[in-house]
Amino acid sequence: MSTAKGIDYFTEAASVESVNARMSEDADPRLRQVMGSLVKHLHAFAKDVELTQAEWATAIGFLTRTGQMCDGNRKEFILLSDVLGLSMLVDAINNRRPSGATENTVLGPFHVEGAPVRAMGEMISLDGKGESCLFEGRVLDLDGKPVKGAKLDVWCDNADGYYDVQQPDIQPKWNNRGIFVTGEDGAYAFRGIRPVSYPIPDDGPVGQMLAALGRHPNRPGHMHFIVAAEGYETVVTHTFVADDPWLTSDAVFGVKASLLTEFVAGEAGDTMWKSRFDFVLNRADPA
Ligand code: BEZ
Ligand code: FE
């Protein structure tokens, strides 16, 4: 730091200290920790790559366009976090579970609160498209006992690879969505379609970034689940179609080996496919 009149001005060498010293001792301690570390790593990054003025301007323009693209339906900043692997990292840090408990994966931008509660076995696909599939299994605790009253909130894209909220004028409302509540046996069953792979929205800055990096925007076919029951940690997850070609290069890094599910041929007269998956819930920390 330079000290012409005993004042510490900004220097390249002591850039982190210059910025972090401005934080008040009275600021929230966690905020001080998070911002102090952010500044440290941000400056280290700029020094590591010797960030040029033009690159800095490009980054500012990119972030500005990312923000401008956001509204109630389009969550471009979450998409950015997703494709950088940050969403999955934060999810992993915050959802460490004992072995045997069902693992989380990314929530994604297409969950909608308030889906209709449906009867067990009911069909969630309302547009008549796609290959029909029976999804079934149980919700269990770590001792293998059924969990009664577990709420499964499920959603997926349609056979054309779009969620209902992406095509409000084309798809029926609540297409491929529903809530199912388990009884004494912890069992669930519903009918839908075999999920198809789809590209994440790539007509904005995040899509341009992926293209510039030679990355594709595709996600392997999956069914989304939020499984919640009183006294247990809520699981936000998907089941993945086990032979999907995009499994090993999911654009948002959401695939986990424990979430792969075989889709087997259904019985004559019922659905074309069947998919079984048991969810195992971890007890919530009473604190
Ligand atoms: C999804 O699976 O719905 C999703 C997740 C992350 C980004 C885009 C879509
Ligand atoms: Fe999805």
Side-chain angles (χ1 to χ4, degrees), residues 135-177:
F135 294 82
E136 60 182 352
R138 286 185 304 162
V139 182
L140 305 168
D141 67 14
L142 273 165
D143 299 323
K145 299 209 179 73
V147 177
K148 179 189 170 197
K151 195 175 95 175
L152 295 96
D153 188 344
V154 309
W155 70 104
C156 77
D157 56 332
N158 78 348
D160 299 327
Y162 294 101
Y163 289 84
D164 56 352
V165 287
Q166 293 176 286
Q167 297 187 313
D169 301 329
I170 297 174
Q171 294 190 37
K173 196 165 164 61
W174 303 117
N175 193 25
N176 291 301
R177 296 179 192 271

Side-chain angles (χ1 to χ4, degrees), residues 60-72 74-77 204-205:
I60 296 293
F62 171 80
L63 292 173
T64 304
R65 282 181 287 117
T66 300
Q68 286 166 340
M69 189 115 200
C70 293
D71 60 26
R74 182 65 182 251
K75 298 164 184 163
E76 194 74 1
F77 259 115

Side-chain angles (χ1 to χ4, degrees), residues 66-192:
T66 300
Q68 286 166 340
M69 189 115 200
C70 293
D71 60 26
N73 291 321
R74 182 65 182 251
K75 298 164 184 163
E76 194 74 1
F77 259 115
I78 296 186
L79 271 189
L80 179 58
S81 163
D82 294 341
V83 302
L84 293 178
L86 181 63
S87 306
M88 282 301 290
L89 177 59
V90 173
D91 189 72
I93 291 168
N94 288 278
N95 293 288
R96 296 181 187 123
R97 300 203 173 111
S99 146
T102 301
E103 295 187 279
N104 256 41
T105 188
V106 65
L107 172 67
F110 299 124
H111 177 250
V112 182
E113 289 290 342
V117 178
R118 301 189 191 278
M120 278 305 171
E122 204 177 324
M123 175 59 112
I124 61 169
S125 173
L126 309 177
D127 62 0
K129 292 182 173 179
E131 299 181 1
S132 59
C133 181
L134 172 66
F135 294 82
E136 60 182 352
R138 286 185 304 162
V139 182
L140 305 168
D141 67 14
L142 273 165
D143 299 323
K145 299 209 179 73
V147 177
K148 179 189 170 197
K151 195 175 95 175
L152 295 96
D153 188 344
V154 309
W155 70 104
C156 77
D157 56 332
N158 78 348
D160 299 327
Y162 294 101
Y163 289 84
D164 56 352
V165 287
Q166 293 176 286
Q167 297 187 313
D169 301 329
I170 297 174
Q171 294 190 37
K173 196 165 164 61
W174 303 117
N175 193 25
N176 291 301
R177 296 179 192 271
I179 292 178
F180 298 86
V181 182
T182 60
E184 293 286 346
D185 58 0
Y188 74 88
F190 63 93
R191 287 169 172 73

Side-chain angles (χ1 to χ4, degrees), residues 123 132 134 191 265-274:
M123 175 59 112
S132 59
L134 172 66
R191 287 169 172 73
E267 277 123 44
D270 196 10
T271 51
M272 295 167 72
W273 297 97
K274 260 174 41 172

